[in-house]
Amino acid sequence: MASTHFGFKTVDEREKAQRVRSVFDSVAPKYDLMNDLMSGGLHRLWKRYTLTVANPQPGDQVLDIAGGTGDLSLAFSKKVGPTGRVVHTDINESMLREGRNRLLDLGVVLPTLVCDAEQLPFASESFDFVSVAFGLRNMTKKELALAEMCRTLKPGGKLLVLEFSKVAQPLEKAYDWYSFNILPKLGKWVAKDEESYRYLAESIRMHPDQETLRQMIKQAGFGHVDVHNLTAGVVALHVGIKC
Ligand SMILES: C[S@@+](CC[C@H](N)C(=O)[O-])C[C@H]1O[C@@H](n2cnc3c(N)ncnc32)[C@H](O)[C@@H]1O
């Protein structure tokens, strides 16, 4: 079995998937509250920006990968309307259940499916948009997942990868201090789980930077890739066009 990273630890590939599963099993009930607290609500703006750049139209077909509690799925579903379709997916049942229940409470019913981004159970060229927000970082074989995203997009379709990235150098020290001191404590007090939020900080540091990820997306088969830095690179939106 090949080895990979789980935060700063080196683990074998199967162990990473199990550890990621237990992180999201543990954080699922408090996931939305923690997102608001950790980002000061900024994650809502990053997601809104993603929708603005995507510019989906009524009738479009959308696949939301690692959709978790459903923020992007919900936003896309408002845009594509009743003639379109948004498939809300995640590898983790606990996260998906939180998301599905939340959307049902809002009166939104979407096809919801447990599936692994590295092995998507969809025909090639099925979707106008594929989105993945804050999910790619947790995947073991990112190249495989990106290739699957490319396969399932129609020609001309758009991939949207919203993910933590490399922050601008003058902010690095303050961002590191916040990530390694405040985040785990917030996790401990609110979600009763310090370790998962330490993993969050570590996994961000191990994730490819803006340019490396841009090259990975091109390697996966996308003809053109744009990078949008958000909040000084705390987050980046990569937009890949399947040409
Ligand atoms: C930080 S959450 C993001 C949830 C949501 N997209 C959001 O932006 O709030 C990351 C999600 O990635 C999912 N994930 C991790 N590995 C995955 C994989 N191989 N395939 C699909 N989803 C995966 C996790 O289960 C988790 O729900």
Side-chain angles (χ1 to χ4, degrees):
M1 173 72 59
S3 61
T4 184
H5 293 288
F6 175 79
F8 291 161
K9 296 184 188 73
T10 301
V11 297
D12 78 41
E13 286 183 341
R14 208 172 22 210
E15 190 183 340
K16 168 156 178 167
Q18 284 161 359
R19 283 181 178 239
V20 168
R21 186 178 327 125
S22 49
V23 163
F24 288 103
D25 279 344
S26 163
V27 304
K30 295 277 190 230
Y31 179 83
D32 288 330
L33 174 62
M34 279 299 290
N35 256 1
D36 278 333
L37 289 176
M38 288 184 306
S39 72
L42 277 174
H43 76 103
R44 294 168 184 261
L45 299 183
W46 298 328
K47 288 167 179 162
R48 200 177 302 162
Y49 181 80
T50 302
L51 260 288
T52 303
V53 170
N55 192 26
Q57 300 297 311
D60 281 340
Q61 305 286 311
V62 182
L63 172 61
D64 187 22
I65 292 177
T69 54
D71 282 349
L72 277 192
S73 291
L74 175 64
F76 269 111
S77 75
K78 289 179 183 161
K79 298 282 180 189
V80 304
T83 57
R85 183 177 61 140
V86 179
V87 187
H88 174 208
T89 71
D90 199 288
I91 200 169
N92 185 295
E93 228 180 294
S94 314
M95 289 291 285
L96 208 52
R97 192 177 299 117
E98 289 288 329
R100 187 196 53 188
N101 290 345
R102 177 181 161 226
L103 297 195
L104 287 176
D105 287 348
L106 295 170
V108 177
V109 183
L110 302 181
T112 301
L113 195 76
V114 173
C115 71
D116 184 351
E118 296 168 20
Q119 261 181 302
L120 291 173
F122 302 102
S124 300
E125 305 189 357
S126 302
F127 296 99
D128 301 291
F129 295 93
V130 170
S131 59
V132 54
F134 305 107
L136 188 66
R137 195 183 68 249
N138 302 292
M139 293 172 195
T140 309
K141 295 181 180 160
K142 296 175 183 54
E143 286 85 357
L144 204 57
L146 291 169
E148 279 291 86
M149 295 174 199
C150 189
R151 179 184 67 74
T152 51
L153 271 172
K154 296 176 187 174
K158 263 188 205 170
L159 169 70
L160 299 131
V161 182
L162 184 66
E163 188 53 271
F164 293 107
S165 202
K166 184 137 181 66
V167 73
Q169 205 268 332
L171 295 183
E172 250 175 33
K173 267 198 169 165
Y175 185 54
D176 279 351
W177 180 83
Y178 173 76
S179 304
F180 290 104
N181 292 287
I182 304 299
L183 286 189
K185 287 205 177 74
L186 265 181
K188 185 175 171 187
W189 292 330
V190 179
K192 311 285 174 247
D193 181 351
E194 186 169 357
E195 268 316 295
S196 293
Y197 287 90
R198 200 179 308 284
Y199 160 73
L200 167 66
E202 292 181 3
S203 67
I204 292 170
R205 298 327 183 267
M206 299 308 288
H207 190 63
D209 64 16
Q210 286 85 337
E211 182 52 26
T212 309
L213 182 56
R214 196 178 80 84
Q215 291 301 335
M216 287 169 67
I217 295 174
K218 285 204 94 174
Q219 285 287 318
F222 289 86
H224 181 82
V225 184
D226 280 329
V227 184
H228 305 236
N229 272 316
L230 306 177
T231 318
V234 168
V235 163
L237 172 65
H238 285 69
V239 184
I241 310 287
K242 180 170 174 178
C243 299

